[in-house]
Amino acid sequence: MKTRIREMVFAAFLTALLIVSKEALAFLPNVELVTLLLILYTLLLPRWVWVIIALFVGIEIFLYGFGFPLWIVNYLYMWPLLAGVTLLMRRFRSPVIWAVVAGFFGLLFGALSAIPLVFIAGAASAVAYWMAGLWWDIVHGIGNFALTLLLFRPLYFLLERSLRMIRTGRID
Amino acid sequence: MGKTEQTKHTKVLIIALSCFVVTLVAFAVLFHLYGPKKIVEDPSSVPSSATDGTSSSNAPVFAKTITVDITFADGSERSVTIGTNAASLRTALEEQSLIAGEESEFGLFVKTVDGVTADDAKREWWAFYKDGTLLNTGVDSTPIADGDRFAIKLETY
């Protein structure tokens, strides 16, 4: 099987992993692995990450998008933004740096989510929306920081090893 | 990694961590100062009552009277005057069984008003106004005062 096809199948698997991780942690409000996984996917599969994000958002809309809620608009720019920032900082491999990036993404999640509200309901409503959820942004930021600090290195190692196997066709 | 590079790397880590911690603290302060405050009701207060045009000598005394104008999808309206001792809009409306919804991390997300449920498929939602201005607070954290007039309208987004 050609490397490209193997990578395509692997990208589909990684998308499924993204969805499963999101659903598995859904009982913990604002604690998620999606941010960390997308950072890792961007570092290791920079060309495939855009396909993974498109699939992830598409599946989420299919599962929960009934009635076109606001988060659909948010998802369209927030996950690509994370991938973009990760690409700009791709030379870093320190778990602390990525924990800070993931932490900031969690902290700013509410503020970024409020952007469409500026156009829909005005700046005052957008700020009120942001303030209402600020406590959960703090939880999100701390959760992202802790999970990334703990899991960045082992997951990076696992993903890198899996990719090497997929690209070479050899099991090390 | 050379010593100079190592020092530079450590500096970057310290700066990044410091920025994160400072932002975290700043957000906590912002939330403490400007975050929504859930209104705590006085448990000894008398439950509210909707005015129906009759009066009774045994009627409880209410500290506040508020008016709620409800507008439905077809444009029809209903006005309800409520006598209440409640501190929050949520309690005053719930005592009249005027609202129902889902508990969320932001408080009650109102889905039903006066028996009419907003239809997600039609992208409907219940918008709350006070003096013609869209409320920026949830029903849990909206205080009420005597003479307040609220409007609740079924709108689409």
Side-chain angles (χ1 to χ4, degrees):
Chain A
M1 207 191 311
K2 282 183 179 171
T3 307
R4 193 177 162 75
I5 296 172
R6 283 200 294 254
E7 278 189 2
M8 193 190 294
V9 174
F10 192 53
F13 166 75
L14 293 180
T15 310
L17 192 65
L18 214 53
I19 302 277
V20 168
S21 80
K22 186 174 178 292
E23 297 305 319
L25 290 175
F27 70 99
L28 288 171
N30 282 19
V31 176
E32 46 92 1
L33 278 171
V34 175
T35 304
L36 167 61
L37 289 175
L38 278 179
I39 287 173
L40 290 167
Y41 296 174
T42 311
L43 291 174
L44 290 162
L45 290 147
R47 271 177 295 185
W48 284 103
V49 75
W50 308 107
V51 178
I52 292 172
I53 290 173
L55 282 171
F56 171 66
V57 174
I59 292 167
E60 285 293 311
I61 291 172
F62 179 74
L63 290 175
Y64 303 111
F66 190 65
F68 201 80
L70 181 65
W71 63 259
I72 292 180
V73 182
N74 299 148
Y75 270 30
L76 292 177
Y77 62 87
M78 282 166 71
W79 300 118
L81 177 73
L82 176 67
V85 169
T86 306
L87 274 180
L88 287 174
M89 298 178 64
R90 64 185 177 276
R91 72 184 177 92
F92 291 103
R93 285 296 181 274
S94 160
V96 179
I97 291 289
W98 291 111
V100 168
V101 171
F104 263 116
F105 187 71
L107 276 181
L108 296 173
F109 204 88
L112 292 168
S113 300
I115 291 171
L117 278 178
V118 175
F119 305 101
I120 297 169
S125 293
V127 170
Y129 174 85
W130 176 42
M131 283 296 144
L134 201 54
W135 170 249
W136 293 102
D137 289 336
I138 292 169
V139 172
H140 197 178
I142 294 172
N144 272 5
F145 180 86
L147 285 174
T148 307
L149 197 62
L150 280 173
L151 299 173
F152 181 86
R153 218 186 278 274
L155 288 180
Y156 186 93
F157 172 76
L158 268 176
L159 258 178
E160 194 182 34
R161 194 183 154 106
S162 307
L163 264 174
R164 201 164 50 234
M165 279 168 19
I166 281 159
R167 283 171 181 155
T168 60
R170 282 202 322 266
I171 298 169
D172 296 329
Chain B
M1 198 185 285
K3 198 176 175 186
T4 321
E5 209 174 324
Q6 179 75 49
T7 313
K8 196 179 162 191
H9 183 69
T10 310
K11 267 186 188 169
V12 170
L13 290 188
I14 291 169
I15 290 169
L17 263 177
S18 307
C19 287
F20 180 63
V21 173
V22 167
T23 311
L24 200 65
V25 173
F27 274 33
V29 172
L30 264 180
F31 181 74
H32 181 70
L33 293 177
Y34 303 110
K37 314 268 185 299
K38 191 175 180 349
I39 297 167
V40 181
E41 297 288 347
D42 176 8
S44 64
S45 67
V46 182
S48 67
S49 144
T51 306
D52 57 2
T54 59
S55 61
S56 153
S57 57
N58 294 326
V61 177
F62 297 113
K64 303 163 194 172
T65 302
I66 64 167
T67 308
V68 180
D69 302 313
I70 306 165
T71 306
F72 300 95
D74 60 2
S76 61
E77 290 180 9
R78 184 183 170 221
S79 190
V80 184
T81 304
I82 301 168
T84 185
N85 290 320
S88 73
L89 182 60
R90 174 177 180 168
T91 306
L93 296 176
E94 278 188 336
E95 283 175 350
Q96 299 303 317
S97 302
L98 272 176
I99 57 167
E102 293 163 8
E103 293 295 344
S104 76
E105 57 206 49
F106 304 113
L108 183 75
F109 176 48
V110 178
K111 302 279 285 180
T112 304
V113 175
D114 203 16
V116 176
T117 302
D119 188 346
D120 286 339
K122 292 178 183 169
R123 300 164 69 185
E124 289 176 341
W125 67 297
W126 284 105
F128 285 69
Y129 294 84
K130 185 183 173 189
D131 303 326
T133 306
L134 187 67
L135 283 177
N136 285 328
T137 47
V139 284
D140 294 76
S141 46
T142 302
I144 53 172
D146 187 35
D148 276 352
R149 190 170 198 113
F150 294 92
I152 311 175
K153 298 176 183 176
L154 189 61
E155 296 183 350
T156 53
Y157 57 90

